[in-house]
């Protein structure tokens, strides 16, 4: 089979399509023939060497794929062969076949199309864990979401809107904000606009944010933290602005230094909470994973939440999907399709 490999860090072209051995399922594992791969910003950061959870190179990146179970490992449930599943993994999804723990191959949701299923797992789990498990979102909360037009962001806007919250969508262009409004955001803020500070003052004039799902970092993180109401909760689930112009050890170190930080004394004075989450911690804890998954999928099905699929690239053009994600032009999820 073919798989994309990351041998060294750099731009999208460092990804190499190579021929590798077909995977074999061990005890408790499944082999899945991949139909769609979900592209995640974390994989862009990993490619640049800016992601702490990435494995040692060389490796095949990719945290999620959907497809059909082709084989089960020794002693496994043979009835799963042929089942359509969404697979979650730390790496390895940029391939024509993946091997995955049977417990991390979750049945697709019947109300969604194949592409929507492929766009669901990581984005909705991240938004759900950030908003519901960490911030304990309530229908009366005013919720701000940054990078609101992206994969995680659109999921968060939909979840908060479905719960009945007042949603403020924040993104880097007015065109994106129009899409965010259509998903249920009552108010929007463009953080790349000159009028950013004035607009923040306008949307918080009648009270600060009760909850923020923060995905950008840098000045956006600082402004959102300052805009929290007393008892407000800010959950950091990403820092997409982490970057360097030219790689060298100093620029790499400076990029990491720019990651969000908090001052507990200041948080105490303002009576706010700043938290951070990473859904990778759910992978080794399958009981917890299924518990969170069940609550998310019941809610999503009840409210018929449908992921936004923004673009689909052929498997052979996967580096283009990375390039598009970095361009800040994408809306919703970027998928890669594997065709036999
Ligand atoms: N904690 C977790 O477990 C977890 C899981 C999945 C994703 N994440 C994080 O959530 C965030 C969103 O991920 P995603 O996969 O859904 O990606 P995405 O939001 O679809 O795409 C990334 C977006 O980040 C924004 N951005 C801000 N500064 C940027 C910069 N300097 N360069 C490029 N983009 C920039 C852009 O939107 P604007 O132009 O509108 O700013 C861009 O469209 C990322 O930070 C990711 O690492 C965390």
């Amino acid at each position: 089979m073919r798989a994309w490999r990351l041998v060294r860090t750099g731009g999208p072209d460092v990804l190499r399509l190579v021929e590798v051995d077909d995977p074999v399922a061990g005890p408790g594992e499944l082999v899945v023939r991949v139909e769609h791969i979900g592209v995640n910003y974390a994989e862009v950061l990993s490619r640049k060497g800016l992601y702490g959870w990435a494995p040692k190179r060389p490796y095949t990146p990719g945290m999620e794929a959907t497809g059909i179970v082709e084989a089960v490992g020794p002693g496994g449930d043979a009835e799963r062969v042929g089942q359509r599943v969404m697979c979650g993994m730390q790496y390895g999804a940029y391939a024509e076949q993946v091997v995955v723990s049977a417990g991390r191959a979750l049945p697709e949701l019947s109300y969604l199309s194949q592409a929507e299923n492929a766009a669901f797992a990581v984005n909705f789990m991240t938004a759900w864990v950030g908003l519901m498990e960490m911030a304990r979102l309530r229908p009366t909360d005013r919720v701000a979401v940054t990078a609101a037009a992206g994969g995680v962001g659109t999921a968060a806007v939909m979840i908060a809107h479905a719960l009945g919250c007042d949603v403020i969508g924040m993104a880097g262009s007015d065109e994106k904000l129009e899409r965010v409004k259509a998903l249920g955001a009552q108010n929007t803020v463009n953080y790349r606009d000159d009028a950013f500070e004035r607009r923040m003052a306008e949307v918080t004039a009648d009270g600060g944010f009760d909850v923020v799902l923060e995905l950008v970092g840098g000045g956006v993180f600082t402004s959102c933290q300052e805009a929290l109401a007393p008892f407000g909760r800010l959950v950091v689930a990403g820092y997409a602005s982490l970057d360097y112009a030219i790689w060298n050890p100093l620029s790499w170190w400076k990029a990491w230094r720019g990651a969000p930080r908090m001052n507990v004394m200041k948080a105490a004075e303002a009576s706010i909470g700043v938290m951070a989450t990473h859904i990778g911690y759910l992978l080794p804890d399958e009981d917890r994973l299924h518990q969170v998954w069940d609550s998310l999928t019941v809610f999503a099905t009840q409210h018929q939440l449908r992921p936004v699929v923004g673009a689909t690239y052929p498997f052979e053009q996967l580096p283009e999907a990375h390039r598009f994600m970095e361009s800040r032009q994408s809306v919703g999820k970027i998928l890669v399709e594997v065709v036999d």
Side-chain angles (χ1 to χ4, degrees), residues 127 130-132 135-146 148 152-153 155-170 180 184-189 200 203-204 207-214 224 227-229 232-235:
L131 292 175
M132 308 302 282
R136 307 280 161 170
L137 197 62
R138 291 173 293 214
T140 48
D141 285 330
R142 297 191 75 211
V143 187
V145 178
T146 64
V152 176
V157 168
M158 283 187 260
I159 289 169
H161 176 64
L163 194 70
C165 299
D166 179 7
V167 183
I168 297 101
M170 299 174 65
V180 173
Q186 285 91 338
N187 264 303
T188 55
V189 177
M200 281 293 273
V203 297
T204 55
F209 303 143
D210 299 304
V211 168
V212 179
L213 185 68
E214 215 296 89
C224 286
L228 282 175
R233 292 89 73 200
L234 183 150
V235 180

Side-chain angles (χ1 to χ4, degrees), residues 68-124:
I68 297 175
V69 177
E70 202 151 72
V72 299
D77 177 4
E79 292 204 351
R80 293 202 68 178
V81 174
Q83 187 182 33
R84 305 195 69 84
V85 289
M86 311 182 201
C87 308
M89 56 198 83
Q90 183 189 2
Y91 60 94
Y94 288 4
E96 290 177 308
Q97 292 175 50
V98 296
V99 65
V100 64
S101 152
R104 293 181 217 151
L106 300 157
E108 287 192 352
L109 301 178
S110 58
Y111 77 95
L112 297 179
S113 69
Q114 279 184 32
E116 287 167 339
N117 269 294
F120 186 84
V122 170
N123 289 346
F124 274 76

Side-chain angles (χ1 to χ4, degrees), residues 41 126 150-152 171-172 176 191 215 237-241 277-279 328:
Y41 198 76
T126 305
V152 176
K176 286 186 179 185
Y191 42 66
L215 305 171
Y239 8 91
S241 62
T277 181
H278 176 234
I279 58 163
R328 300 184 77 161

